[in-house]
Amino acid sequence: MYIFSSGGMLCKHFLKIPKSTSIFVQRCPQKERSVACWSNVLVDVSECKVRTFSNCTVPSLENKIRFLSSTNNSWSRMSTFVSKPTLTPKLRLADYDCIGFDLDNTLCEYHISSNVEMEYNLLAKFLVEEKGYSSDHLLQPLDNTSHDFLQKGLIIDFAHGNILKVGENGLICKASHGTKPMTVAEVVNTYGSDRKWEVTNDFCKNTLAAWEGPLSERMRPLCDYFDMPASLAFARIIDSLDQKLGRPADLYNVWPDVKAGLVSMYSREHFNKNVGYFKELKSNPQKFIKKCDPAVVDWLKSIKDSKITFLITGSNCDFASMTAETCLGKNWRSLFDVVVCFARKPGFFTGCRPFIDLNGFEETDPVNGDSLELGKIYSQGNWQELYQLFGRHSGKKEPKCLYFGDNLIQDVYAPSEYTKCETVAVVEELSVECIEKHTNLPSELFLASKFWGSYFFDDQEQMNTVWGGVVQNYSKVCIPNISTIAEYSMNHAFSTFHKTSADGFFPANPATIKIKKKASTA
């Protein structure tokens, strides 16, 4: 099956599609753009006619159409035809036409300890004061035990009150009920003898399905340091409810309240109101945000000398401007040819939302894709039209793009799976799990966990975690931070995840990783 989000993309790749191939076309949600798209249909292209449609030539849908679904499932939207690039054993920045970056936890590094503790305290305070949960549990100070319980990448099972570490094949490798570790027998009793939950099985097959789809009503992966503290808050609430009941409950409905706390903390409207997370951050930015190494800034300048550079961040433009200026300096905008804020990833890479122009920090009017310009900052948008902008200015029909990011769903899986953009995963846990380990890092308590084990691999089950699998299957290279790669020239050849599952870790493999030879790509 070939998948598109618009008629334009179908037109572009129509001649590449074998006859009698199924095509899925997703309607753009905006009324003003729907003239360039179709409803969800499954199309047999073997005898399609050709006609002019919205200023482009597309196959007619009058023949051999059968409806797959008329349901408007926002989570099921798909984007461009994906012609996977040939796997190559080396990555050279010089080989790319356009190089882009995420901002938070990629270019802009945070003092993780300060941030996580601040985030947890704000969330716990909200849950006690606004939702009435037990202060005896939630307002306990963060000690070494609670530090060790926190790990990025855990999955919350809402109804059972459990926290899960999942293998790349869906196996539940480790679990806790509240903060209490579950035995293998308890996991089997809850999820079955194969220790697999149908929800996480589906998640491992398509991580986007758990982001906005029906799976999101049953589970939540905690993908970054902004939502990581939610696991401890959720677990402590489960402990308090079990204690009050005298046994585990049959069903829990805690997550909606925890989610409300996260929304209260990070809602973009709250930056101007100076409340919650933003109030704390703005009061002392240097406490929470690291100043970027000048060598990284120079490296970004050198890339821009010969490449189109871009920044795609989920942060609203006011917050992004503050963090970028704190990290990269007052002239941060000059480092990028185009900046996209409030990108609403992963949908940016899979959907077709319009770009929105900005007046200062305020969104104004939608921008037609043909009117996008370099040298500007936009809000929202989509990869297809940004890619077309790159094509116009690079002089290439299909410019080669590379994107650095830390969120393995939003920044690695989505662009790699649904576009032609290749990715580099920025995973700070590599700095403490690496064979060439950097010791005594201030944030090490939150980067390594004895309770859960390796972020990339499960020693007991001898398998990749779901995140270790995403890194090795959807990124070219995995690095702990941008500084690691910035000291090398544009022509330096970095090994990629090409022949084995460990080739792409740089500067060295995680100590626990099990090296597996990949299938031949010939």
Side-chain angles (χ1 to χ4, degrees):
M1 178 178 285
Y2 289 74
I3 300 171
F4 304 82
S5 68
S6 71
M9 294 308 300
L10 178 56
C11 166
K12 180 178 179 182
H13 299 286
F14 178 60
L15 295 179
K16 300 180 182 179
I17 304 172
K19 290 186 176 182
S20 301
T21 299
S22 296
I23 304 174
F24 187 80
V25 185
Q26 174 75 24
R27 178 186 294 278
C28 293
Q30 293 78 19
K31 289 183 179 178
E32 66 271 20
R33 298 169 59 80
S34 64
V35 294
C37 307
W38 294 291
S39 299
N40 300 347
V41 292
L42 194 63
V43 185
D44 185 329
V45 303
S46 59
E47 296 180 16
C48 279
K49 299 177 181 177
V50 175
R51 64 185 176 89
T52 299
F53 185 86
S54 187
N55 298 321
C56 62
T57 303
V58 296
S60 170
L61 299 182
E62 296 171 358
N63 298 303
K64 293 183 177 289
I65 294 179
R66 57 189 178 92
F67 285 91
L68 174 65
S69 171
S70 60
T71 306
N72 182 21
N73 291 323
S74 62
W75 64 271
S76 66
R77 65 195 184 284
M78 301 294 182
S79 102
T80 65
F81 168 91
V82 179
S83 175
K84 288 292 183 184
T86 303
L87 292 176
T88 54
K90 300 295 180 181
L91 178 146
R92 295 177 178 84
L93 298 184
D95 293 339
Y96 293 87
D97 304 297
C98 312
I99 298 178
F101 303 87
D102 178 38
L103 180 59
D104 296 308
N105 296 304
T106 299
L107 285 178
C108 178
E109 292 186 60
Y110 288 80
H111 296 290
I112 297 175
S113 294
S114 300
N115 272 274
V116 168
E117 291 181 3
M118 179 261 282
E119 291 159 0
Y120 176 81
N121 290 334
L122 287 172
L123 181 57
K125 185 173 183 287
F126 174 92
L127 291 166
V128 170
E129 295 181 356
E130 301 296 327
K131 300 298 181 180
Y133 289 109
S134 167
S135 60
D136 291 342
H137 288 78
L138 280 167
L139 300 186
Q140 294 178 52
L142 296 184
D143 57 13
N144 287 340
T145 300
S146 52
H147 287 166
D148 193 55
F149 185 80
L150 288 164
Q151 186 181 61
K152 190 174 74 177
L154 300 177
I155 293 173
I156 297 180
D157 172 356
F158 303 156
H160 292 108
N162 297 339
I163 316 290
L164 311 176
K165 177 184 179 181
V166 176
E168 67 177 333
N169 68 350
L171 181 74
I172 297 172
C173 299
K174 291 185 177 65
S176 73
H177 179 74
T179 62
K180 299 174 179 62
M182 295 175 68
T183 65
V184 171
E186 289 170 329
V187 172
V188 168
N189 187 54
T190 303
Y191 298 103
S193 58
D194 61 354
R195 290 162 50 202
K196 290 186 175 183
W197 184 30
E198 69 275 9
V199 175
T200 47
N201 285 347
D202 289 344
F203 170 70
C204 290
K205 294 172 186 175
N206 178 9
T207 62
L208 290 191
W211 197 256
E212 294 179 324
L215 297 188
S216 67
E217 299 174 4
R218 302 179 66 185
M219 62 160 281
R220 169 68 179 258
L222 304 176
C223 296
D224 56 36
Y225 304 118
F226 293 112
D227 58 9
M228 184 173 79
S231 62
L232 181 60
F234 179 88
R236 284 180 167 180
I237 291 173
I238 299 301
D239 289 347
S240 70
L241 296 177
D242 287 357
Q243 185 181 71
K244 185 176 182 180
L245 189 62
R247 62 174 178 81
D250 296 326
L251 191 69
Y252 298 90
N253 191 32
V254 169
W255 177 252
D257 294 331
V258 178
K259 182 179 179 181
L262 293 172
V263 171
S264 175
M265 288 168 61
Y266 300 125
S267 175
R268 64 172 177 160
E269 291 79 13
H270 290 173
F271 185 88
N272 274 336
K273 294 179 181 178
N274 202 37
V275 296
Y277 172 82
F278 299 113
K279 179 181 179 180
E280 295 292 328
L281 198 73
K282 289 196 286 187
S283 68
N284 188 1
Q286 288 72 27
K287 178 181 178 181
F288 302 106
I289 301 171
K290 295 180 181 180
K291 187 72 175 174
C292 189
D293 186 336
V296 172
V297 175
D298 291 340
W299 178 73
L300 292 171
K301 291 178 181 177
S302 70
I303 293 176
K304 190 170 181 286
D305 286 341
S306 59
K307 311 292 179 185
I308 294 175
T309 57
F310 59 99
L311 183 73
I312 304 174
T313 174
S315 296
N316 202 50
C317 54
D318 48 9
F319 177 52
S321 294
M322 187 207 78
T323 55
E325 182 173 326
T326 303
C327 173
L328 298 170
K330 292 183 178 181
N331 296 322
W332 69 273
R333 285 278 303 278
S334 67
L335 301 173
F336 309 101
D337 288 297
V338 64
V339 175
V340 181
C341 297
F342 195 51
R344 300 172 70 182
K345 297 174 290 183
F348 180 88
F349 293 105
T350 64
C352 48
R353 296 187 191 97
F355 283 90
I356 308 294
D357 217 340
L358 292 167
N359 180 11
F361 295 142
E362 296 297 320
E363 292 183 340
T364 56
D365 300 316
V367 180
N368 186 286
D370 293 337
S371 301
L372 294 176
E373 303 174 28
L374 296 185
K376 295 197 66 173
I377 180 169
Y378 298 99
S379 186
Q380 303 195 45
N382 64 85
W383 174 258
Q384 294 175 27
E385 292 178 332
L386 186 65
Y387 189 65
Q388 290 165 9
L389 172 68
F390 295 159
R392 292 195 296 272
H393 286 272
S394 67
K396 296 186 177 181
K397 185 177 179 180
E398 293 188 349
K400 192 173 181 182
C401 299
L402 183 69
Y403 184 65
F404 290 76
D406 71 292
N407 188 300
L408 296 186
I409 295 179
Q410 298 181 19
D411 300 325
V412 175
Y413 176 82
S416 179
E417 181 68 2
Y418 296 109
T419 80
K420 290 186 178 182
C421 184
E422 298 180 351
T423 63
V424 173
V426 181
V427 182
E428 200 158 347
E429 283 74 11
L430 185 59
S431 64
V432 296
E433 294 195 35
C434 190
I435 293 171
E436 298 174 6
K437 181 178 174 182
H438 302 279
T439 57
N440 300 319
L441 292 174
S443 300
E444 187 166 344
L445 279 174
F446 295 103
L447 297 177
S449 169
K450 294 178 181 178
F451 188 103
W452 297 105
S454 168
Y455 176 79
F456 299 98
F457 194 76
D458 188 81
D459 284 334
Q460 185 173 340
E461 302 299 335
Q462 286 293 291
M463 69 169 58
N464 287 329
T465 64
V466 61
W467 308 114
V470 170
V471 164
Q472 294 169 42
N473 291 315
Y474 294 96
S475 71
K476 299 279 286 184
V477 175
C478 178
I479 57 176
N481 49 55
I482 294 295
S483 298
T484 303
I485 202 171
E487 62 185 86
Y488 293 87
S489 76
M490 297 279 286
N491 286 304
H492 182 83
F494 297 94
S495 294
T496 65
F497 295 113
H498 173 62
K499 291 184 178 179
T500 75
S501 60
D503 285 347
F505 288 108
F506 186 83
N509 301 337
T512 57
I513 203 74
K514 184 176 182 180
I515 299 176
K516 296 184 294 184
K517 188 172 183 178
K518 290 194 172 184
S520 173
T521 58

